[in-house]
Amino acid sequence: MGLKERIRDLARTESQLEAAEIRERTLSDPGAAVACAGELVERRPATVAGCVRCITIPPRQSVPVLVAELFDGERSVNLVWVGRRHIAGIDPGVFLTAEGRIAKVKGQPTIFNPTYQIVPTK
């Protein structure tokens, strides 16, 4: 790492460093066809990867719903599981890949009932 990179890293905030680390991990697997959240096209299938930032369980309605915000280092995608209030292993801080069809909900890219794979930490 050169002097410029070290100075740049010193000037970054902790959240910027964390986002850069997530972005690097997202793009580190050359065999995976992972899309960036900013490049997602509505109604097209996509594979996304990132770190779960938060889990939201909306107030009780007629149908249980679990929402996970997946952050890829630049932008977020909502992963929504209808009929679930909890999924073992899906917690904040977990890195995972998810696949499904993109929908826009209130302008936010969203995948309903995605297939997913939890990526173990190295």
Side-chain angles (χ1 to χ4, degrees):
M1 182 184 301
L3 181 61
K4 284 184 177 182
E5 289 83 15
R6 288 182 183 169
I7 292 172
R8 184 188 68 223
D9 285 347
L10 289 173
R12 290 181 175 180
T13 65
E14 188 175 327
S15 61
Q16 289 172 324
L17 289 172
E18 184 179 324
E21 183 180 315
I22 292 169
R23 189 79 197 129
E24 183 178 314
R25 188 169 178 194
T26 300
L27 299 175
S28 67
D29 185 4
V34 175
C36 298
E39 301 170 351
L40 299 176
V41 178
E42 189 173 10
R43 298 182 183 163
R44 299 275 184 204
T47 301
V48 294
C51 184
V52 176
R53 266 192 174 170
C54 67
I55 302 289
T56 307
I57 303 169
R60 291 206 179 262
Q61 301 170 347
S62 60
V63 177
V65 176
L66 176 71
V67 180
E69 180 185 350
L70 187 72
F71 181 63
D72 72 358
E74 291 181 7
R75 299 193 57 195
S76 294
V77 178
N78 285 333
L79 306 177
V80 178
W81 287 273
V82 179
R84 305 293 297 265
R85 288 218 175 267
H86 177 74
I87 298 175
I90 305 244
D91 296 308
V94 169
F95 194 89
L96 59 88
T97 60
E99 188 175 344
R101 193 166 299 275
I102 302 298
K104 292 278 183 162
V105 177
K106 297 181 182 175
Q108 178 70 19
T110 304
I111 301 176
F112 287 93
N113 295 322
T115 58
Y116 67 92
Q117 181 175 7
I118 296 173
V119 179
T121 55
K122 295 178 182 178

